[in-house]
Amino acid sequence: MPARKKYTPEEARQRQIDRVNAYNRTHKATAYRNQKKSRARSFIKKDATREELEELRGLIDERLKELSKD
């Protein structure tokens, strides 16, 4: 069995980026959902004010009630 090629850090980084982009192209709905989750978490952790967090809490409670009915 031939030895695996060793990549420079730059090559390894580019290969990882290429793999992520390929995944995102083939799994568009999942990638989009993950992007939305990431943005929501970032907003809550870094930017949201107290009033915004309270509004979000109300929206989350309403959504949980909707889901529990199903």
Side-chain angles (χ1 to χ4, degrees):
M1 180 173 246
R4 292 176 53 190
K5 180 179 178 192
K6 297 201 178 199
Y7 296 101
T8 65
E10 296 82 19
E11 289 173 328
R13 182 175 178 275
Q14 187 58 48
R15 286 177 54 86
Q16 180 64 31
I17 290 169
D18 293 342
R19 285 192 298 270
V20 168
N21 289 337
Y23 175 87
N24 289 344
R25 279 192 302 273
T26 58
H27 301 91
K28 287 185 184 223
T30 303
Y32 183 62
R33 186 173 189 278
N34 289 339
Q35 181 184 46
K36 290 192 298 185
K37 286 188 336 186
S38 176
R39 287 181 180 176
R41 286 185 179 121
S42 178
F43 174 75
I44 289 169
K45 288 181 179 182
K46 297 178 183 176
D47 297 323
T49 64
R50 182 174 189 84
E51 293 81 20
E52 291 168 334
L53 290 172
E54 290 170 356
E55 178 186 357
L56 290 170
R57 179 182 286 162
L59 294 171
I60 291 168
D61 289 342
E62 288 176 20
R63 180 68 175 139
L64 287 171
K65 286 178 188 175
E66 289 175 13
L67 293 174
S68 67
K69 291 178 184 176
D70 296 340

